Amino acid sequence: MCGWRGTILNVDLSSGKIDKEKLPEDMARDYLGGRGFNIKTLYQELEPGVEPLSPENILVFGTGPLNGTPLGCGRMTVTTKSPQTGFFVEGNNGGFFAPELKFAGYDIIVIRGRADKPVYLWIKDEKVEIRDASHIWGKTTWETDRIIKEELGDPEIQLRYIGPAGENLVNTSIILGNLARAGGRGGAAAVMGSKNLKAIAVRGSGGVKIARPREFQEALLEIWEDLDVDGSKDPFTRIWGLYGSPIVLRIQQEYGTLATNNGQEGVFEKVMDISGEEFLKNYVVKPKACFCCQSPACSHWCEVRDGPYAGTRTEGIQAGSTEALGSYCGISHLPAIIKGHALCNELGIGMFSTGTTIAWAMEAFEKGIISSKDTDGLELRFGNHEAMLQLIRKIAYREGFGDLLADGVKKASEKIGKGSQDFALHVKGLEYTAVEPRSSHVAALMHAVNDQGSDHTRAYPPYPPSPQAVPQEIVEKLPFDLRKASDDSIPDEKGKFLKWLFDSRATLNCLEFCLFNSRARTFADFRPFAKAITAATGMKFSADDLMEVGERVINLERSFNAREGAGRKDDTLAKRYLQEPFSKGGKAGFLPPLEELLDQYYEARGWDPETGVPTRGKLGELGLGEVADQLETLAKQMQGKHDGKD
Amino acid sequence: MAKINLKYIAHFSLLTGKLEEGIEVREKTTVSDLIKRLEQKYGGFEEALIDEKTGRLNSRNKVAIRKAGGWTENITTLEGLNMELSDGDTLIFW
């Protein structure tokens, strides 16, 4: 195959069996790669009701047809059934692992079963072996990175690994690689830990064959032109190229949507202390980027040079770090936030979930719902960064009060009770992230209907394309009214717009092209991607074909969750987001009319408005007739059980 | 005269050497007038904000406004460059 390597690597940790399977051509065409391959595999293999931490659950690492080409970023997707939500969960990691896996000859790795002792997987081109990892079990991610590279004698080996949090089955644990490239919120690392799999190491010496190199280069130049730091028509391309995403904090502040003190307000008085400008001026050492990325500095290597956290060195401070470990917790001490970010990465827990959970605990403490007797003596007040750092460790190791928080904010608040569930900020059990649901109609809807729970990365950027950046013929064909979709004073057209945004971003996730990079012309004009994928693979794709893949993937993801009992009842927001508007700032008073927005969204999707589940007609249109059969059978079984009880 | 607040984010903080400042403008001053004034004072504002061909705001950078007690909105969704400024307005350049 061209573009794809044409091979699925199957690893059964229970039996030690490793085999290689040909990538079916129809799967490549219908799902493209990464996110699409993964949900197709997960849906096909898992029976409804599988216990997420049992050997029956699987972990799928998927790459796309563009990984390993000069156009492909280092993105890839890991997907599994979440121990935190009971639904599927996926993480989109950057770095260098995905192209290396392609160079070794594989598109997908499927991990099944459970090893009887700690192991790691070593892939060197065609040679694949399961190796003992007893000596690295308990080590941090950074130690693991170093030990495996030294052991195998190659500093260029690419890795995905878990830290102590994944080993300890922490629900908010994540999988990392390249020291700071993280993904898999909802406990993907706990699933990996449950399988006794510490790491996957890969080194490849092959390449990715391009079917029509000259056409591919033309498409590549079109896409790169869109990403040019000086020439791009997107407002974020240039500023992220210098500051990285921490620059958005002051923008959020000015729009009144910087979640502060567990989302009690949208303005953080000390924002200047944790701003992107402050970060760049005093802590950045050098820029960092993924494989072949055109953005000079989405990430940075940074260092704290003085004070109590002097000597802290880490990578990948994002807006998410300074929000979740900063304003959410009322913390304005940037060195402590950097230290917290480093700890999260080294111990292998997610910053968003950790910050949101600690912020909830701080609010519960300040409201007298919990006391220092519950918190191992910690004075959990907003702004107490020493307490936050201690809690991060406690969560990763499930020590004392940290054991409660290690299950995530939903379960922790249910155990504590006393009204604390009202300010536990999550959707479907997954903690709130980044884009405030009270910032716009689209943001609220985006969080509520997201199939893996609260998350901003599957609908990014969360605003409509600029008519100045997108060719007029594309603007005219958009399946929503751009003017109304851009007017946030009204709810109109937001359902149609979000459907388009979810579908188009799902397509990019299948291609494993970075969402941060498709923001100006290619935000809405997919013709350059169609040209690139056609030239790379030799299979003919139009822009409409690509969009249909995204829609198919979204429908299959929703169907996976529907099999687990999910529906409209789960498409909701924390009570705070529905009933407590901000009292000050640039969005004071706004609350999203969620039910109206849900109706719009289901209508745009062609889903049943009462259940929020895809209809047979819609699934049939997308070639998912068998999925419709299964959902109907399950619905009848459920009805039968229900009738029997009556 | 009207007192207005200016917030400079990212490269606008580099152009001005400031994160924010307060200035006074005459009644009926428009956003366009303000950009001309900032161009004269600091340079780089017109190149960053105005489309050479159309003379309108480009899509590469943003100007937002928050009226006292109101929501923050991009001025392109309001009256654009012709919008008149009032006492207490906050303008955000990013």
Side-chain angles (χ1 to χ4, degrees):
Chain A
M1 292 177 103
C2 293
W4 301 282
R5 293 306 309 270
T7 303
I8 301 168
L9 178 63
N10 293 299
V11 179
D12 187 328
L13 293 172
S14 297
S15 65
K17 188 183 168 197
I18 295 167
D19 70 50
K20 296 163 192 175
E21 177 187 350
K22 192 177 171 192
L23 175 68
E25 197 169 303
D26 58 348
M27 181 164 159
R29 171 174 285 282
D30 292 346
Y31 292 92
L32 290 174
R35 179 172 160 185
F37 284 172
N38 291 10
I39 192 63
K40 165 78 173 164
T41 307
L42 204 72
Y43 189 93
Q44 208 164 271
E45 291 215 11
L46 293 192
E47 290 294 324
V50 161
E51 164 56 41
L53 297 180
S54 73
E56 285 69 40
N57 195 7
I58 63 171
L59 262 170
V60 193
F61 295 82
T63 67
L66 297 177
N67 288 126
T69 74
L71 187 55
C73 314
R75 310 306 305 187
M76 67 178 297
T77 301
V78 57
T79 309
T80 189
K81 184 174 177 184
S82 165
Q84 185 169 11
T85 67
F87 304 131
F88 81 91
V89 70
E90 64 165 33
N92 190 273
N93 304 52
F96 295 79
F97 185 96
E100 199 70 34
L101 187 64
K102 295 282 292 287
F103 298 156
Y106 309 97
D107 301 294
I108 312 170
I109 308 171
V110 185
I111 306 286
R112 302 178 178 87
R114 174 186 289 158
D116 56 11
K117 62 177 185 179
V119 296
Y120 74 91
L121 189 66
W122 169 221
I123 304 165
K124 176 80 184 298
D125 292 319
E126 291 185 355
K127 188 180 169 191
V128 183
E129 59 179 309
I130 298 168
R131 295 174 65 110
D132 178 47
S134 303
H135 58 302
I136 44 175
W137 200 252
K139 301 290 186 190
T140 68
T141 57
W142 285 37
E143 289 167 336
T144 302
D145 190 280
R146 179 181 53 76
I147 291 169
I148 292 179
K149 285 176 178 170
E150 284 177 2
E151 185 170 298
L152 298 173
D154 184 349
E156 299 300 319
I157 283 168
Q158 297 303 319
L159 292 146
R160 287 287 184 254
Y161 31 66
I162 61 171
E167 297 171 14
N168 295 324
L169 309 182
V170 170
N171 272 348
T172 53
S173 59
I174 48 163
I175 297 169
L176 284 100
N178 297 109
L179 305 180
R181 296 291 174 174
R185 297 175 63 232
V191 174
M192 201 160 151
S194 76
K195 296 183 177 305
N196 280 322
L197 180 63
K198 180 68 177 176
I200 302 174
V202 62
R203 191 78 165 101
S205 59
V208 176
K209 196 173 172 188
I210 300 294
R212 295 202 277 276
R214 183 171 295 180
E215 286 173 35
F216 183 78
Q217 189 177 8
E218 287 171 10
L220 177 145
L221 292 175
E222 273 187 61
I223 294 168
W224 278 3
E225 184 183 356
D226 208 32
L227 299 174
D228 181 73
V229 169
D230 286 325
S232 175
K233 292 180 176 175
D234 176 77
F236 285 102
T237 301
R238 180 156 44 157
I239 59 178
W240 281 27
L242 178 60
Y243 295 92
S245 67
I247 197 63
V248 306
L249 256 75
R250 285 188 61 220
I251 298 172
Q252 289 174 305
Q253 172 88 348
E254 294 305 332
Y255 284 73
T257 60
L258 179 59
T260 298
N261 293 357
N262 199 35
Q264 292 181 87
E265 281 302 343
V267 174
F268 185 45
E269 302 301 339
K270 297 177 180 173
V271 67
M272 293 298 193
D273 295 344
I274 62 171
S275 66
E277 289 91 343
E278 174 70 12
F279 176 61
L280 184 67
K281 184 178 167 191
N282 291 319
Y283 301 97
V284 168
V285 176
K286 62 179 179 181
K288 300 276 282 183
C290 294
F291 176 85
C292 268
C293 187
Q294 292 305 295
S295 175
C298 150
S299 180
H300 298 88
W301 182 259
C302 65
E303 184 176 333
V304 179
R305 297 182 184 88
D306 47 35
Y309 305 114
T312 302
R313 297 176 182 86
T314 191
E315 193 208 317
I317 297 283
Q318 298 285 341
S321 321
T322 44
E323 291 160 355
L325 305 176
S327 62
Y328 295 8
C329 297
I331 289 170
S332 60
H333 192 57
L334 191 48
I337 295 168
I338 294 170
K339 179 68 180 176
H341 171 98
L343 272 178
C344 284
N345 281 350
E346 289 168 35
L347 299 174
I349 49 176
M351 275 161 293
F352 280 120
S353 291
T354 302
T356 300
T357 305
I358 292 176
W360 164 83
M362 286 175 162
E363 185 170 345
F365 188 95
E366 292 207 340
K367 287 183 167 163
I369 294 172
I370 56 174
S371 71
S372 57
K373 286 180 187 168
D374 303 296
T375 64
D376 310 326
L378 292 174
E379 285 291 309
L380 270 186
R381 298 193 180 282
F382 288 115
N384 186 345
H385 56 83
E386 289 95 348
M388 176 189 73
L389 295 176
Q390 286 190 52
L391 261 186
I392 290 173
R393 286 184 191 280
K394 283 174 174 286
I395 292 169
Y397 289 101
R398 283 191 173 275
E399 291 173 0
F401 186 59
D403 187 40
L404 176 79
L405 303 190
D407 287 331
V409 77
K410 177 175 185 283
K411 289 179 183 170
S413 68
E414 286 168 356
K415 283 182 188 166
I416 293 295
K418 300 176 187 173
S420 68
Q421 300 98 316
D422 290 349
F423 53 86
L425 306 181
H426 67 88
V427 172
K428 302 180 177 76
L430 194 63
E431 291 79 11
Y432 153 75
T433 65
V435 178
E436 232 307 320
R438 290 162 291 182
S439 64
S440 71
H441 294 91
V442 171
L445 187 57
M446 167 188 84
H447 283 284
V449 299
N450 198 318
D451 283 309
Q452 65 168 8
S454 185
D455 173 71
H456 65 290
T457 62
R458 307 173 110 224
Y460 203 85
Y463 48 76
S466 164
Q468 290 167 281
V470 179
Q472 186 58 30
E473 67 270 24
I474 297 295
V475 171
E476 287 168 4
K477 279 180 64 182
L478 288 171
F480 53 89
D481 183 315
L482 183 55
R483 188 188 61 76
K484 287 183 181 171
S486 304
D487 183 350
D488 202 43
S489 67
I490 53 173
D492 307 42
E493 293 291 297
K494 304 305 185 289
K496 286 183 189 171
F497 166 59
L498 187 69
K499 177 199 178 286
W500 173 87
L501 188 61
F502 267 142
D503 289 351
S504 55
R505 303 310 97 175
T507 298
L508 292 169
N509 283 153
C510 295
L511 294 173
E512 293 300 347
F513 191 78
C514 183
L515 299 196
F516 279 2
N517 281 347
S518 181
R519 325 181 60 124
R521 173 190 167 192
T522 58
F523 188 169
D525 186 355
F526 273 26
R527 291 174 298 183
F529 290 118
K531 192 171 173 181
I533 189 74
T534 299
T537 65
M539 282 186 196
K540 177 77 179 157
F541 287 94
S542 67
D544 290 343
D545 293 336
L546 294 185
M547 284 294 286
E548 186 179 293
V549 171
E551 186 175 15
R552 180 177 297 116
V553 167
I554 294 275
N555 276 268
L556 191 57
E557 289 173 342
R558 170 124 318 212
S559 298
F560 181 93
N561 283 359
R563 281 195 322 191
E564 302 292 340
R568 181 168 181 144
K569 65 183 178 5
D570 301 286
D571 290 341
T572 188
L573 294 168
K575 190 175 175 184
R576 169 157 291 161
Y577 296 139
L578 297 171
Q579 297 185 11
E580 296 177 33
F582 293 131
S583 69
K584 58 186 174 184
K587 205 69 184 183
F590 174 74
L591 286 176
L594 184 61
E595 295 305 316
E596 179 186 346
L597 293 167
L598 287 177
D599 287 340
Q600 277 190 36
Y601 181 72
Y602 299 141
E603 185 182 350
R605 281 250 168 254
W607 292 351
D608 184 326
E610 285 184 22
T611 62
V613 171
T615 57
R616 169 171 286 283
K618 175 50 70 179
L619 291 170
E621 271 176 36
L622 297 166
L624 298 172
E626 289 179 14
V627 173
D629 293 342
Q630 191 177 21
L631 291 182
E632 280 183 5
T633 303
L634 279 170
K636 282 176 189 164
Q637 286 171 355
M638 291 301 292
Q639 187 61 43
K641 281 184 187 173
H642 188 260
D643 293 345
K645 278 182 186 168
D646 289 346
Chain B
M1 298 292 278
K3 288 183 181 174
I4 61 169
N5 304 304
L6 305 177
K7 306 272 187 169
Y8 304 121
I9 297 178
H11 46 286
F12 289 100
S13 72
L14 300 176
L15 284 177
T16 61
K18 297 171 183 171
L19 296 172
E20 59 188 326
E21 67 178 324
I23 63 169
E24 290 193 347
V25 297
R26 291 198 186 110
E27 296 295 325
K28 296 195 178 292
T29 293
T30 63
V31 174
S32 179
D33 297 332
L34 176 67
I35 291 171
K36 282 178 189 154
R37 179 169 159 182
L38 294 172
E39 172 68 24
Q40 284 176 356
K41 189 173 178 185
Y42 299 112
F45 273 72
E46 288 184 347
E47 185 193 352
L49 293 166
I50 308 295
D51 186 314
E52 272 181 33
K53 290 177 187 166
T54 64
R56 294 161 61 185
L57 285 163
N58 63 34
S59 61
R60 291 195 302 144
N61 298 286
K62 298 283 182 198
V63 185
I65 190 166
R66 183 169 62 251
K67 297 277 180 192
W71 287 359
T72 304
E73 295 179 82
N74 294 336
I75 66 160
T76 47
T77 62
L78 303 169
E79 296 158 61
L81 289 169
N82 296 325
M83 185 168 186
E84 289 186 3
L85 303 176
S86 312
D87 194 52
D89 287 353
T90 297
L91 277 100
I92 303 115
F93 296 88
W94 59 280

